[in-house]
Amino acid sequence: MYEDLNGKVVVITGGSTGLGAAMAVRFGKEKAKVVVNYYKNEQEAIEIKEKVEKAGGQAIIVQADVTKEEDVINLVQTAIKEFATLDIMINNAGMENPVPSHELSLEDWRKVMDTNLTGAFLGSREALKHFIENDIQGNIINMSSVHEMIPWPTFVHYAASKGGMKLMTETLALEYAPKKIRVNNIGPGAMNTPINAEKFADPKQRADVESMIPMGYIGKPEEVAAAAVWLASTESSYVTGHTLFVDGGMTKYPSFMAGRG
Ligand code: NAI
């Protein structure tokens, strides 16, 4: 438990499913005030709100499409109106759809970039405005991926969005460090969430992914949530511009494990 998170206001984009939902519930356990953003499925968001409250926190739900500037502004303003301030912004919403790069339409490229990178920029910008205007030593956490460093054929738009997020986070961290505003990434490996549901339902594909993870198992959303509360707490007060990989060692060149090379 991180006592300084008690009463803190946290916005989580894509907070009604997968990693976002696990973070919402964990911040609830820390007695934070959680703004659960959802995209389309209101019922899922209501269920997560109830789980946050049961865990000991407070929660509201807010619909927003992170690709739309006015929606992101409204999301942050609603958080400030309902809970009087904003302390932690978690830009977690994301999507992927594999397509051979030579067949990738401009529309699909833009959709992934707008959701994963531009959405995180808009969330960061709106949070920064509030932090600066109110002299808050706020905290931004962007949900990146191991694919901010590992190339991923047929996911060129996804990899480009997460690679862009790496330098966006590092740049914002540098720019706002004098104000003690911290900006970090979490880089999950393969996690058990809806984004992977189809892939992991196939035992062959699941085993294939597991073989690329030195620790030998697919990560649990709670393991990412544990990293998020640490990054949001004062326990990580000197950490900024960093990507915290939560990946069971996936970024550590698993093909070299047997001492080859
Ligand atoms: P998920 O599919 O459960 O979560 C994605 C969330 O983003 C959903 O709640 C979805 O509704 C929301 N979303 C999509 N487009 C949106 C939009 N335009 N506006 C608002 N919300 C939108 O999957 P998961 O795994 O929880 O993904 C969360 C983040 O973690 C994503 O950024 C993903 O790229 C990242 N990630 C996930 C990994 C995994 O293995 N599950 C690995 C590395 C990164």
Side-chain angles (χ1 to χ4, degrees):
M1 294 287 287
Y2 298 95
E3 276 175 19
D4 63 292
L5 294 180
N6 188 335
K8 286 274 157 64
V9 180
V10 52
V11 170
I12 306 175
T13 67
S16 62
T17 65
L19 303 181
M23 289 189 287
V25 174
R26 178 63 199 260
F27 274 95
K29 282 189 189 151
E30 303 289 342
K31 300 192 172 31
K33 298 171 180 169
V34 186
V35 179
V36 179
N37 156 245
Y38 69 96
Y39 184 25
K40 289 187 174 154
N41 190 329
E42 187 181 14
Q43 191 49 42
E44 277 176 351
I46 291 169
E47 283 164 26
I48 296 306
K49 171 180 150 59
E50 287 168 0
K51 284 190 183 168
V52 172
E53 290 165 348
K54 217 172 146 202
Q58 296 177 47
I60 58 167
I61 62 168
V62 182
Q63 194 282 331
D65 175 347
V66 298
T67 69
K68 295 195 175 134
E69 186 174 28
E70 63 275 20
D71 281 19
V72 180
I73 292 171
N74 180 59
L75 171 63
V76 170
Q77 287 307 314
T78 305
I80 294 166
K81 204 168 117 221
E82 293 295 320
F83 287 138
T85 190
L86 171 67
D87 303 291
I88 303 150
M89 181 77 203
I90 304 188
N91 296 300
N92 165 74
M95 62 169 296
E96 62 183 45
N97 67 321
V99 183
S101 298
H102 65 285
E103 290 169 4
L104 180 62
S105 68
L106 180 57
E107 193 188 351
D108 278 358
W109 167 271
R110 281 191 173 139
K111 186 140 199 262
V112 169
M113 294 300 279
D114 283 356
T115 306
N116 299 3
L117 185 56
T118 309
F121 164 69
L122 291 171
S124 300
R125 189 192 68 188
E126 291 311 301
L128 284 165
K129 277 185 200 162
H130 176 73
F131 297 160
I132 289 160
E133 277 164 20
N134 297 281
D135 209 13
I136 293 170
Q137 295 182 2
N139 203 305
I140 297 173
I141 298 170
N142 294 319
M143 196 55 68
S144 181
S145 163
V146 293
H147 296 293
E148 73 165 46
M149 68 169 281
I150 303 177
W152 203 14
T154 74
F155 290 83
V156 67
H157 40 355
Y158 185 84
S161 72
K162 301 298 188 181
M165 187 177 251
K166 177 182 189 296
L167 271 172
M168 181 182 79
T169 289
E170 290 175 3
T171 300
L172 294 177
L174 195 56
E175 194 168 343
Y176 296 99
K179 295 196 176 296
K180 313 288 185 294
I181 295 168
R182 296 190 294 122
V183 190
N184 288 290
N185 280 357
I186 294 177
M191 312 301 297
N192 203 6
T193 70
I195 219 170
N196 291 320
E198 218 176 291
K199 197 187 308 175
F200 295 162
D202 172 3
K204 230 180 116 209
Q205 286 195 63
R206 192 182 175 98
D208 190 35
V209 173
E210 281 167 350
S211 75
M212 292 189 289
I213 306 169
M215 288 183 77
Y217 71 95
I218 290 176
K220 298 187 278 285
E222 293 73 21
E223 293 177 301
V224 163
V229 286
W230 179 73
L231 276 178
S233 79
T234 50
E235 290 293 304
S236 61
S237 53
Y238 210 44
V239 178
T240 196
H242 182 71
T243 295
L244 176 51
F245 288 110
V246 181
D247 67 351
M250 196 183 222
T251 42
K252 302 298 170 280
Y253 302 95
S255 54
F256 279 80
M257 258 178 100
R260 292 206 306 272

